Amino acid sequence: MIGILTFHWADDYGAMLQAYALKTCLEGLAKESVEVIPYAPVKLTGRYWMIPIVGIERGRKIIYFPGVFGIVRNVSHLRAYLRRRKNMRGFRRLYLTREAKIRKADRLSLKKYSCVFVGSDQVWNPEITIGLDDAYMGNIKDRESCRLAAYAASFGKASLPVKYHAAFEKAVNENFFGVSMREKNAAPFVEKFYHGKVTDVLDPTLLLNPREWRRIAKQPEQKNYILFICTEYNRRMVKYLQELSAELKKKVVQVSMPWPGQRKDWINLQIEGGPSEFIGFFQNADFIVTNSFHGTVFSVLMEKQFLVFGHSNRNARIENLMEKLDLKPRLVESGRMPEKEEILQEIDWGHVRELVEQERGASIEYIKSMLVV
């Protein structure tokens, strides 16, 4: 049996869709059954609760406190929040796992698996996992002959803070049969520590083609709109979006959760959907404005006119993807305000498809190499 250790527990479109994509891809390649391991620690899942719990490192301990903004936001959008949770849970149970949650890494057993893929997503980002998490670093005693392979693991940046270097070096060399990174510029950093080859591969969502994604999509009733996916507030992006909406005479539909203090009556919030609804909104969109990595991915997959604004501190993954697919002009960097005409410029989708296919082929070859003993 093949296992996957990733962020399947997150009520987040990208996290759940990358887990679905890797599982689907492995099911097509492996001769064994594939399952998502139901590791879901409170320190990570708690941030999505009705009353969010946020954890921070204090030495070797984790201190928890309620997320005030999350409470206010969830209560302010209570009906939509509850429907969103229901749709996320439904997708997870239908496509990922129905097994009971395992809350602690020391309760994991990998004995029944021949191979476990760790990743994708930011499983090696200590800012998200609140320190390097034992499960995602492979520090699991009960595993016998199970091999671990990192697929498209990510720091969210190009490197790790110095205080994690020793633990990281020990874990990747003692625990991993193979290592691949999602960000190309992170591979040289890992090569300083890992005693094997480090490959950069595609995010799992790009392993599936548009036809495969349409099979699970639920299309919305809305038409004639600009789709907006926001992972952090960006004043220039919002200003550009408003001006673009007025000029093109198209409404704006936002499927990402609102930012603190969001009071934009010209934005139509549609946040109650799950991952299937998320894909459907891309299918129907005329244009897309985003600073989300997976917002960028699905803009490419659905071949939509789009612009992506840089993220303040987690921009490496977007930059790398835009470079790989020769789409750098679609990335708005350094606080620049783009001209409205930029989103209207034609994209050579034939060329982009060729590049995606090349990268997809290389990524699948890496997966195949991990499946061979």
Side-chain angles (χ1 to χ4, degrees), residues 45-56:
T45 60
R47 66 191 64 173
Y48 297 99
W49 294 352
M50 178 67 194
I51 299 177
I53 301 297
V54 179
I56 58 172

Side-chain angles (χ1 to χ4, degrees), residues 84-298:
R84 180 187 181 93
R85 285 279 284 179
K86 181 180 178 180
N87 284 322
M88 293 286 189
R89 184 169 58 250
F91 184 93
R92 189 178 294 113
R93 289 176 60 83
L94 180 62
Y95 293 113
L96 302 179
T97 181
R98 292 173 173 266
E99 297 299 316
K101 299 179 182 66
I102 298 173
R103 294 297 193 186
K104 296 184 178 180
D106 60 9
R107 294 181 182 174
L108 285 170
S109 173
L110 305 184
K111 290 192 297 185
K112 69 177 180 179
Y113 304 104
S114 61
C115 181
V116 168
F117 286 83
V118 179
S120 178
D121 225 317
Q122 297 180 60
V123 291
W124 289 351
N125 183 347
E127 293 180 11
I128 288 179
T129 57
I130 315 177
L132 293 177
D133 184 88
D134 278 337
Y136 300 125
M137 293 311 306
N139 295 324
I140 300 167
K141 293 181 181 179
D142 191 21
R143 63 175 190 168
E144 292 186 353
S145 61
C146 172
R147 293 173 292 116
L148 298 183
Y151 182 82
S154 173
F155 304 130
K157 301 176 183 178
S159 62
L160 282 172
V162 174
K163 68 177 182 177
Y164 297 113
H165 287 188
F168 177 76
E169 181 174 21
K170 185 175 186 292
V172 291
N173 285 297
E174 291 185 359
N175 301 333
F176 285 86
F177 173 71
V179 172
S180 67
M181 305 299 293
R182 186 173 64 184
E183 285 78 45
K184 186 175 183 178
N185 62 359
F189 172 81
V190 179
E191 286 173 343
K192 296 176 183 178
F193 302 95
Y194 184 57
H195 302 157
K197 181 181 179 182
V198 180
T199 309
D200 66 282
V201 293
L202 287 178
D203 183 87
T205 49
L206 285 158
L207 296 176
L208 305 186
N209 61 47
R211 183 181 65 258
E212 292 172 296
W213 283 119
R214 291 189 187 103
R215 289 175 187 161
I216 65 168
K218 293 182 180 178
Q219 291 197 37
E221 296 178 358
Q222 290 90 339
K223 305 283 185 182
N224 192 40
Y225 59 86
I226 302 167
L227 183 60
F228 180 47
I229 304 97
C230 176
T231 56
E232 67 170 359
Y233 178 72
N234 180 318
R235 182 179 59 82
R236 288 185 176 87
M237 179 173 63
V238 174
K239 185 175 186 292
Y240 173 81
L241 181 67
Q242 187 170 20
E243 293 175 354
L244 183 69
S245 174
E247 180 151 324
L248 299 181
K249 295 181 172 58
K250 292 183 182 291
K251 62 189 174 184
V252 175
V253 173
Q254 177 179 334
V255 296
S256 52
M257 294 296 279
W259 59 82
Q262 180 172 346
R263 295 289 186 274
K264 307 295 181 185
D265 55 9
W266 51 273
I267 294 178
N268 180 10
L269 276 177
Q270 294 289 327
I271 59 175
E272 64 271 19
S276 292
E277 289 81 3
F278 179 77
I279 300 169
F281 273 109
F282 278 88
Q283 283 187 267
N284 278 9
D286 294 329
F287 301 93
I288 295 158
V289 175
T290 186
N291 58 4
S292 155
F293 174 74
H294 285 105
T296 305
V297 166
F298 281 94

Side-chain angles (χ1 to χ4, degrees), residues 55-73:
I56 58 172
E57 277 189 289
R58 283 289 184 268
R60 295 185 178 182
K61 294 183 178 180
I62 298 176
I63 306 299
Y64 294 96
F65 57 93
V68 177
F69 162 66
I71 296 171
V72 173
R73 181 193 62 194

Side-chain angles (χ1 to χ4, degrees), residues 31 161 248 300 302 372:
K31 297 179 180 179
L248 299 181
V300 171
M302 299 303 169
V372 177

